[in-house]
Amino acid sequence: MDLQIHGQANASLPAAYRQVLVSWSIQGGLNPPVITHAKGCHFHDTNGKAYLDMTSGYVAVPLGHGHPKVVRAIQQQAERLCWVASSYFNDVRAEYAELLNRISPWSEGLRVHFASGGGEANDDAVKIARLVTRRPKVLTAYRSYHGSTIGGSALTGVDRWRDPLPNLPGMVKFFTPYPYRSPFHTREPAEESRRALQHLEQVLSHEGAHNVAAIVLEPMTGSSGMVIYPEGYLQGVRALCDRHGILLVYDEVMTGFGRTGAAFAATRLGVLPDLMSFAKGASSSYTPLGGVLVREGVASHFDTELFDVGHTHAGHVLAVAGGVAALRVYLEEGLFERALEIEGWLREGLGELQRRHPVVGDVRGLGAHFGLELVKDRETREPLVEWHHPGGSAPMKLFYGELMKRGVHAYGRYNVAMVSPPFVITREELSQGLEAFDAALSVVEAAL
Ligand code: PLP
């Protein structure tokens, strides 16, 4: 996997370090830096080295690290109440629901169900859709990532989960538009949208639309390619859902809370779903908070039917207090708008990288959320590494390794490198990060 990080030698570490299984990595030979503390857009290791974080961790800390208002709010909440059963009412949960309604894309309002992370939230979104529609099937995109739980893995389209984990019954995949590498053999975005919608209509017809509870989509894909759907596509999906009584679920785990320059990608793109899963930026990952936002017209179903979903940590008060404090900071400091400003800086800076480096085939993104698609040849668009390359790939390891050497953290998948900095990054810090990208791209090109 490209997430595997090889840092400077830490061979003398106590054995306990290797008794922690490291996510998404072959454990043998791993040698990542040991991170001790972080502030703003930098985190620091035991060798005293600082890393500028160009992807907000896993696109998870839009506020950067150690924002004093959020830290203080969590400390104060910890002294008052950390946890209470989710069957009770609680003032912090209510405050969060009120704040969420302030940024809701739905004029009818919303209700919130809490989870601890994105995968769990997606599992719950599917459960809610099935409870509301009493239908079994769920459609998701081949090029998608929805989490590492059993449900999230089954929803996920990329192949990395398939070998050990068979799909779950009722989970059906379809192709979505990808203008740079069209699965529908088009060269024109409007045509790409049109054919992709025809394809989806055919899938619905073969699966029986009346059996389909939900279509689950990232409104723009995240780690599985940073693909932005062409104009008309999401509108078309919305229309198909309306025609067949299917609930449209957006996975806004990555795109929610300002990442695309608006509270939600739904707001930025102007096409509204019925449910949205969220996590990551909700609390800027200061506390493990996720959940599902349900528009009022759907949530009211449960006024007379059993809401048969829950977790011990659903609405964990300390976790939600982190969410309240983070959302207050986003609003008070105008950080969703800041992500729009960063979009301008990224278009300029990444555009320049594309001009300088033939290996950069495509640059695309919204807000503070961009991807660089790397290719061997710009004319043929042959990917720098294969999409389904098992176990990572030498050129991408070289790329991320060079960034690490230069004190810059970033990640991505396959041949798409992500650039999703914290919203608090300064223009100067961003330029420093992009200089490291420039150098790392040169190293990759020299090795080609
Ligand atoms: N959905 C999307 C779009 C994601 O990007 C991720 C994580 O990267 C998830 C779901 C899973 O979230 P978590 O890792 O919090 O379970």
Side-chain angles (χ1 to χ4, degrees):
M1 286 297 166
D2 295 330
L3 288 186
Q4 198 147 319
I5 292 170
H6 297 272
Q8 286 160 0
N10 271 312
S12 58
L13 284 179
Y17 280 81
R18 302 203 179 274
Q19 287 162 358
V20 178
L21 287 166
V22 175
S23 303
W24 297 299
S25 300
I26 295 164
Q27 308 295 303
L30 269 184
N31 205 10
V34 179
I35 305 304
T36 52
H37 62 287
K39 186 74 187 162
C41 298
H42 290 86
F43 54 86
H44 303 259
D45 72 12
T46 38
N47 296 321
K49 183 167 175 174
Y51 299 83
L52 173 64
D53 193 347
M54 288 288 278
T55 51
S56 311
Y58 296 152
V59 196
V61 284
L63 294 180
H65 296 274
H67 194 294
K69 285 186 183 162
V70 185
V71 171
R72 208 171 315 118
I74 293 167
Q75 285 168 338
Q76 286 169 353
Q77 187 59 47
E79 282 167 22
R80 181 161 75 91
L81 176 71
C82 283
W83 179 91
V84 68
S86 54
S87 47
Y88 286 97
F89 280 172
N90 168 265
D91 59 319
V92 182
R93 294 175 193 153
E95 187 181 359
Y96 196 49
E98 196 180 9
L99 281 172
L100 288 169
N101 268 285
R102 258 198 243 166
I103 60 165
S104 166
W106 298 294
S107 54
E108 69 193 276
L110 62 81
R111 297 191 210 177
V112 56
H113 160 68
F114 291 110
S116 303
E120 196 181 69
N122 283 326
D123 284 12
D124 290 351
V126 166
K127 211 167 173 190
I128 293 168
R130 283 177 168 164
L131 285 169
V132 170
T133 60
R134 312 302 305 178
R135 297 175 179 182
K137 291 189 180 180
V138 176
L139 268 54
T140 62
Y142 272 114
R143 202 173 279 269
S144 65
Y145 181 73
H146 297 291
S148 166
T149 57
I150 293 282
S153 308
L155 292 168
T156 290
V158 289
D159 74 338
R160 62 205 182 96
W161 302 119
R162 269 190 221 137
D163 291 344
L165 293 171
N167 197 5
L168 290 180
M171 300 287 192
V172 177
K173 300 288 182 303
F174 62 101
F175 286 100
T176 43
Y178 186 0
Y180 185 69
R181 217 172 269 294
S182 167
F184 304 103
H185 311 288
T186 75
R187 291 199 158 269
E188 209 260 310
E191 183 63 6
E192 179 78 356
S193 260
R194 204 177 60 77
R195 289 198 200 170
L197 287 166
Q198 276 175 353
H199 160 71
L200 178 56
E201 231 173 324
Q202 279 185 11
V203 174
L204 282 171
S205 142
H206 283 77
E207 295 293 334
H210 61 285
N211 291 320
V212 178
I215 295 178
V216 180
L217 274 181
E218 294 162 86
M220 69 173 270
T221 71
S223 57
S224 57
M226 304 293 284
V227 178
I228 297 168
Y229 298 133
E231 183 65 26
Y233 183 69
L234 290 173
Q235 287 88 340
V237 175
R238 176 73 265 180
L240 281 172
C241 286
D242 290 342
R243 191 186 319 153
H244 296 293
I246 296 167
L247 292 173
L248 180 57
V249 179
Y250 280 173
D251 177 340
E252 292 243 18
V253 167
M254 210 172 246
T255 52
F257 294 89
R259 184 48 64 186
T260 66
F264 297 98
T267 324
R268 169 91 198 243
L269 299 169
V271 181
L272 303 191
D274 299 295
L275 294 88
M276 294 191 287
S277 56
F278 68 92
K280 295 188 186 262
S283 64
S284 195
S285 294
Y286 284 35
T287 54
L289 177 66
V292 187
L293 305 177
V294 187
R295 73 173 171 81
E296 175 57 30
V298 174
S300 58
H301 171 87
F302 297 104
D303 289 341
T304 50
E305 299 289 333
L306 179 66
F307 185 69
D308 203 4
V309 187
H311 314 282
T312 301
H313 285 171
H316 188 286
V317 186
L318 193 59
V320 180
V324 169
L327 185 43
R328 285 202 179 287
V329 170
Y330 287 133
L331 297 176
E332 283 164 15
E333 297 185 8
L335 291 177
F336 298 163
E337 294 75 19
R338 188 76 203 294
L340 267 188
E341 193 182 357
I342 293 171
E343 176 174 328
W345 302 348
L346 285 174
R347 283 201 193 287
E348 198 181 315
L350 296 177
E352 181 57 28
L353 288 185
Q354 189 176 22
R355 273 187 291 281
R356 291 166 50 78
H357 293 283
V359 77
V360 179
D362 195 25
V363 172
R364 49 184 182 255
L366 289 173
H369 200 35
F370 274 69
L372 295 177
E373 176 150 2
L374 305 184
V375 292
K376 283 185 186 152
D377 181 323
R378 255 199 209 161
E379 283 301 304
T380 62
R381 301 188 179 181
E382 185 186 349
L384 183 64
V385 299
E386 282 310 313
W387 182 251
H388 293 304
H389 197 287
S393 57
M396 296 311 286
K397 276 188 184 145
L398 193 63
F399 177 70
Y400 294 117
E402 185 63 29
L403 287 182
M404 287 291 280
K405 260 195 240 162
R406 290 170 180 272
V408 168
H409 165 88
Y411 84 113
R413 288 235 180 263
Y414 311 108
N415 66 326
V416 180
M418 297 166 74
V419 185
S420 305
F423 304 160
V424 294
I425 197 165
T426 62
R427 189 150 198 188
E428 200 188 343
E429 284 171 327
L430 189 72
S431 299
Q432 285 163 8
L434 293 182
E435 271 169 34
F437 269 67
D438 191 9
L441 289 167
S442 296
V443 167
V444 169
E445 280 168 344
L448 266 184

